[in-house]
Amino acid sequence: MPLIEKGEIVADAYVRVADDEALPEGAPVLIGIDRLLSEAEALKGRQAPVGIIWPNNRPIAEIEPYLPQLALIALNFPSFRDGRAYSQARLLRERLGWTGPLRAIGNVLRDQFLLMERSGFDQIEAVKPADAEAFDEATHRYTVFYQPATDARPSLLRQRLGRTIAGIRS
């Protein structure tokens, strides 16, 4: 599956490794939660980056002790109707202070690209290559937002308050 990062299709540097497979030497790996929990100490000494596929049915707060040793977090969308990964992404960014790459995997649809970006995802594992074009269009379709989010775009209220405060000070 193509990987979209900042609107472009990029090569995925991470190798997905099943719990029972050996970790390749020197290559960035993407592992499951069971492997992380059982091999956490051994993974700390690994010379290559380690990423985790975090299931959407586990509390995201459980990942906090492992954040310093992770280079990537992938959150799963098992169904397009299941939005728990959005909440996990915001909690990671806003409460847990995660600043590293955050990847959306699973059943990812074009209609959700803007919300994914606003929730804190900076990588999306898309279904097909044409989705990169759809990503650019979807993320630039709207310029005004009512709700605050984790991205840098201010909400309409913040924009208005900024103008009002700037107007009072001048």
Side-chain angles (χ1 to χ4, degrees):
M1 292 188 184
L3 182 64
I4 300 171
E5 184 173 31
K6 297 177 184 162
E8 301 293 327
I9 295 179
V10 298
D12 189 357
Y14 286 80
V15 177
R16 285 195 189 188
V17 182
D19 290 343
D20 58 347
E21 293 178 351
L23 295 177
E25 287 296 320
V29 294
L30 194 55
I31 61 173
I33 181 67
D34 293 333
R35 188 165 206 162
L36 175 69
L37 295 176
S38 65
E39 301 177 21
E41 285 304 313
L43 291 169
K44 283 182 183 177
R46 185 171 162 75
Q47 297 301 312
V50 175
I52 180 75
I53 299 172
W54 192 263
N56 71 346
N57 61 356
R58 287 187 79 117
I60 200 65
E62 290 179 11
I63 200 172
E64 190 170 17
Y66 306 101
L67 290 178
Q69 69 190 79
L70 296 175
L72 168 73
I73 299 173
L75 299 177
N76 190 25
F77 287 86
S79 164
F80 71 91
R81 289 180 238 167
D82 190 337
R84 291 178 283 184
Y86 291 115
S87 300
Q88 289 177 323
R90 286 203 64 175
L91 290 170
L92 273 167
R93 296 288 191 204
E94 294 175 357
R95 290 194 187 159
L96 300 179
W98 176 254
T99 58
L102 191 55
R103 182 183 294 187
I105 63 170
N107 195 345
V108 174
L109 302 177
R110 291 180 181 196
D111 295 350
Q112 299 169 329
F113 287 171
L114 179 60
L115 182 55
M116 287 178 179
E117 183 184 61
R118 299 212 68 223
S119 297
F121 290 99
D122 29 41
Q123 296 179 355
I124 297 172
E125 195 175 85
V127 176
K128 49 192 162 197
D131 287 342
E133 294 169 25
F135 179 85
D136 187 56
E137 192 274 326
T139 56
H140 292 93
R141 181 179 303 148
Y142 302 103
T143 58
V144 177
F145 301 96
Y146 289 107
Q147 298 87 4
T150 62
D151 64 357
R153 298 181 237 191
S155 66
L156 185 59
L157 176 62
R158 287 282 165 221
Q159 290 177 13
R160 287 183 179 165
L161 287 176
R163 283 189 212 132
T164 304
I165 292 170
I168 291 173
R169 292 182 183 166
S170 16

